[in-house]
Amino acid sequence: MDYYKLNVCGVERNLPIIQISDNLKIASFVLLGDTELATKAGYELSKKIDCDIILTAEAKGIALAHEIARNIGEKSFVVARKSQKSYMENPVSVEVNSITTKNTQKLFLDFKDVEKIKGKKVALVDDVISTGESIKALENLVKKAGGEVVQKLAILAEGDAANRDDIIFLEKLPIFEI
C-alpha cells in the first residue's frame, strides 16, 4: 500500500492512499480518535475563528469543533446529525453528496439547534474540505435556520479546494488522479 506523509502543526501521520473511483485516489484522513492532532489543529484554528456559534456535521468534525469551542471559551456547539432522531421536533434538513460517501445523505437540525443558530454568525467546521458539498449542505442548513455563515474552517483542503479563498485551513492534501 502507498502512503502520503502529512504534517499538520508538527504532527506527522502516514495516510494510506485509497482508490475511491476508477480514476481517483485520495489520502485517507481520519480524525476520529486522534486526540493529539485534534487538540493541536483545534488550537491553531481557534486563533482564526470569529463567530457566535460553531456548526459541524456528524461525525468526523465533532472532535475538532469541540477543541475549537473549548479553546475560545464556548460552552457548546451544534452538530448536524446524519439521521433524524426520535427526539427531534420540527427538524430542518438538507441533502448532501460527499466525495467519501457513495449515497446521498441528509443532515438534520433539531428545532433547539435552529434556535441556537437563528440570527447568529456561524462558523462551519470540518476535518477536510474537498469538493465542498458537505460545507455547502451546512451552509444551506444555516440559511434555513436563519443564521449567517461567516467562516468555513478545516484542518485540510483537499485537491482544488486549496485554491478557494472562502475557506480557512491548515494544510493542503493532494488528490491522486489515475
Side-chain angles (χ1 to χ4, degrees):
M1 178 172 276
D2 292 328
Y3 291 87
Y4 175 77
K5 189 173 196 169
L6 176 71
N7 186 318
V8 178
C9 305
V11 178
E12 287 189 0
R13 295 291 182 264
N14 287 316
L15 308 180
I17 298 175
I18 60 167
Q19 191 160 350
I20 62 167
S21 71
D22 290 341
N23 59 353
L24 187 65
K25 291 182 179 184
I26 63 169
S28 179
F29 176 74
V30 179
L31 186 62
L32 289 173
D34 193 336
T35 56
E36 179 185 27
L37 187 52
T39 300
K40 289 192 176 186
Y43 176 74
E44 289 303 316
L45 287 171
S46 68
K47 296 176 186 178
K48 303 169 188 283
I49 200 163
D50 182 21
C51 65
D52 297 321
I53 192 147
I54 296 167
L55 172 65
T56 192
E58 190 177 44
K60 292 194 300 183
I62 293 173
L64 182 62
H66 175 269
E67 284 298 320
I68 294 170
R70 188 179 62 79
N71 283 318
I72 64 172
E74 286 296 320
K75 294 180 181 178
S76 67
F77 60 95
V78 176
V79 178
R81 304 297 303 265
K82 289 186 177 176
S83 62
Q84 185 173 344
K85 305 299 179 191
S86 60
Y87 62 79
M88 291 182 167
E89 293 183 37
N90 303 315
V92 296
S93 67
V94 296
E95 289 189 349
V96 61
N97 292 301
S98 169
I99 191 172
T100 55
T101 306
K102 292 182 180 182
N103 300 319
T104 299
Q105 293 183 320
K106 283 191 172 185
L107 293 175
F108 296 87
L109 288 177
D110 185 16
F111 83 98
K112 292 176 185 173
D113 292 327
V114 169
E115 287 301 313
K116 290 179 183 178
I117 291 171
K118 188 176 183 178
K120 298 291 188 348
K121 296 186 302 180
V122 181
L124 307 178
V125 172
D126 207 349
D127 60 339
V128 179
I129 297 174
S130 185
T131 63
E133 291 299 316
S134 297
I135 288 290
K136 183 188 270 184
L138 289 174
E139 283 183 279
N140 290 337
L141 269 179
V142 169
K143 189 174 188 178
K144 282 185 170 187
E148 175 192 4
V149 173
V150 293
Q151 289 180 304
K152 302 167 210 167
L153 302 97
I155 297 173
L156 303 172
E158 185 174 51
D160 290 340
N163 300 325
R164 292 175 57 166
D165 61 2
D166 67 326
I167 63 173
I168 297 167
F169 61 94
L170 299 176
E171 295 294 334
K172 296 177 183 180
L173 187 64
I175 58 172
F176 308 92
E177 295 184 35
I178 303 169

